[in-house]
Amino acid sequence: MAPISDSMRKISGAAIQQLKTSFSGWSFSIFMSMKSRIPLILLACGSFNPITNMHMRLFELARDHLHQTGRYRVIEGIMSPVSDDYRKKGLVSARHRIAMAKLALETSDWIRVDPWETEQESWTETVKVLRHHYNESVRLLQSRKEIMKSIQPTERSTENSLSSQYSVLPELKLLCGADFLQTFQTPNLWKKEHLQEIVEQFGLVCISRAGSDPAQYINESELLTKCQHNIFLVKEWIQNEISSTQIRYALRRGLSVKYLIPDSVIAYIAYHNIYTEESERKNEGDLLQPLKLHNTVVTSFE
Ligand SMILES: Nc1ncnc2c1ncn2[C@@H]1O[C@H](COP(=O)(O)OP(=O)(O)OP(=O)(O)O)[C@@H](O)[C@H]1O
Ligand SMILES: NC(=O)c1ccc[n+]([C@@H]2O[C@H](COP(=O)(O)O)[C@@H](O)[C@H]2O)c1
């Protein structure tokens, strides 16, 4: 085997450190029991206009639930804000929504914001966002394997246990609230083949939300019923009805939103004066991009 260069050694050192720190919050016994589990990535798509404490709680609730199944080891959470081209009423610029989400997630050691969706030329269908992140995770895994292979045998033996854990392909699941599942029934909002790919190939983790009955939505859909094994329904153990719409409403009226969204986000909103009567009128009367794409006459969806 050709000797590895200094720069390669540096990269492999960094990768190993990253693998080690990703387990740092766990005790050794949990670490060992987690070893044999399926690695899983959670992806949440939405407006995050603005991000709320509940958006972050979704990830925590989902991770606890999946760990309790004894089958999965959640390795990462990704929040993907939708592009400006989605054209939802009151949707402020992605630049701000991403900045706020990054500030809010500064204290998380496993959830990150990914701007890929907002960097595309136009709105991206959710199934394509899932495909993109799945391909990225496979690509990352391959490059980690290459790095492990290039480490000299003596170094490799000490890192063997870490390397073997990253040889299993991760699963990627779409994380959402129960109201999201309800939108599957809205005519022309979703393509049937996309819904099929989402529930069959990827899977859903759906958190309860007041006013939405996910079990009923599943019962009403042949596809969702068929793929129930791939839909995890998570019951929120403490009800938390924060919604971005309500936060924007309160901000426009000068009401306090402290303890509903992080202080850093409140400061960012105030500094940039983001939510105003004018910002709320943005895209008013427009058709949501998915409805436009699917060429329909349904009136504006909010
Ligand atoms: N309180 C909540 N309980 C459960 N799921 C939630 C809650 N708030 C947001 N979500 C979920 O988070 C994801 C992103 O939501 P989104 O950005 O649309 O925020 P939102 O608060 O639902 O916005 P809106 O006020 O416009 O309904 C969706 O899957 C949504 O179902
Ligand atoms: N056909 C589709 O792929 C489709 C349709 C409607 C909404 N979505 C996505 O669902 C999310 C909905 O966000 P909101 O709840 O903020 O409207 C967005 O990420 C949006 O891109 C996808």
Side-chain angles (χ1 to χ4, degrees):
M1 189 177 69
I4 56 169
S5 67
D6 275 0
S7 57
M8 195 63 170
R9 203 185 293 275
K10 265 188 209 151
I11 298 171
S12 58
I16 292 161
Q17 195 50 42
Q18 203 189 334
L19 301 187
K20 281 179 173 167
T21 49
S22 61
F23 292 112
S24 60
W26 293 336
S27 70
F28 186 69
S29 59
I30 298 176
F31 173 89
M32 292 311 280
S33 82
M34 287 284 180
K35 249 178 82 170
S36 53
R37 296 183 181 198
I38 302 163
L40 189 144
I41 300 169
L42 289 165
L43 172 73
C45 292
S47 300
F48 307 107
N49 183 37
I51 186 168
T52 70
N53 288 350
M54 189 54 201
H55 288 136
M56 296 182 281
R57 287 289 306 153
L58 296 183
F59 282 92
E60 299 290 331
L61 289 161
R63 183 170 73 161
D64 280 350
H65 181 90
L66 291 162
H67 285 176
Q68 279 160 10
T69 63
R71 289 172 54 207
Y72 296 103
R73 164 168 52 94
V74 177
I75 56 169
E76 189 178 31
I78 306 174
M79 189 176 278
S80 179
V82 76
S83 113
D84 292 342
D85 188 42
Y86 184 45
R87 310 204 68 81
K88 190 172 176 173
K89 183 177 168 288
L91 189 67
V92 305
S93 138
R95 179 172 70 87
H96 288 314
R97 288 180 289 117
I98 286 173
M100 292 187 281
K102 281 190 174 162
L103 283 171
L105 289 167
E106 254 173 1
T107 55
S108 176
D109 59 359
W110 70 282
I111 314 166
R112 66 180 175 88
V113 186
D114 193 296
W116 180 82
E117 216 183 314
T118 64
E119 290 162 359
Q120 306 313 298
E121 263 180 25
S122 50
W123 171 74
T124 309
E125 288 157 312
T126 297
V127 76
K128 295 180 183 161
V129 183
L130 281 157
R131 285 180 202 152
H132 164 77
H133 287 292
Y134 184 72
N135 292 337
E136 279 297 290
S137 68
V138 172
R139 204 181 51 77
L140 192 70
L141 188 85
Q142 296 301 347
S143 67
R144 278 176 177 167
K145 270 195 202 163
E146 289 306 311
I147 290 169
M148 290 299 176
K149 264 198 246 160
S150 65
I151 296 175
Q152 284 174 342
T154 47
E155 288 168 291
R156 198 165 53 209
S157 62
T158 58
E159 305 302 344
N160 251 351
S161 61
L162 281 174
S163 124
S164 62
Q165 279 161 63
Y166 279 80
S167 54
V168 183
L169 277 183
E171 287 188 16
L172 176 74
K173 301 213 180 288
L174 185 61
L175 171 63
C176 62
D179 57 312
F180 187 88
L181 212 58
Q182 191 173 12
T183 72
F184 289 0
Q185 300 178 339
T186 307
N188 301 308
L189 193 59
W190 296 86
K191 285 187 190 148
K192 203 171 165 232
E193 62 272 25
H194 284 183
L195 287 182
Q196 191 162 352
E197 185 174 337
I198 290 172
V199 288
E200 280 181 358
Q201 309 295 320
F202 294 100
L204 287 171
V205 183
C206 180
I207 315 289
S208 61
R209 192 169 193 180
S212 296
D213 184 351
Q216 187 195 329
Y217 310 143
I218 293 174
N219 273 337
E220 287 167 359
S221 153
E222 204 180 311
L223 172 70
L224 298 185
T225 304
K226 197 180 89 187
C227 298
Q228 268 188 82
H229 61 279
N230 221 3
I231 305 175
F232 293 84
L233 296 184
V234 183
K235 184 107 180 68
E236 194 190 9
W237 54 268
I238 181 144
Q239 236 184 8
N240 192 335
E241 243 329 289
I242 312 176
S243 96
S244 296
T245 305
Q246 292 299 326
I247 297 290
R248 295 198 305 278
Y249 181 85
L251 285 165
R252 290 199 306 280
R253 270 143 199 80
L255 302 174
S256 165
V257 291
K258 199 170 168 68
Y259 310 121
L260 296 174
I261 62 176
D263 285 350
S264 52
V265 176
I266 296 178
Y268 186 95
I269 291 171
Y271 184 78
H272 295 277
N273 191 24
I274 294 182
Y275 294 110
T276 58
E277 294 299 339
E278 193 190 339
S279 76
E280 198 58 29
R281 283 196 296 273
K282 208 171 161 206
N283 303 326
E284 200 166 42
D286 276 8
L287 213 51
L288 269 195
Q289 195 59 14
L291 292 175
K292 221 183 278 176
L293 270 187
H294 304 152
N295 201 13
T296 158
V297 289
V298 177
T299 50
S300 183
F301 167 87
E302 290 183 12

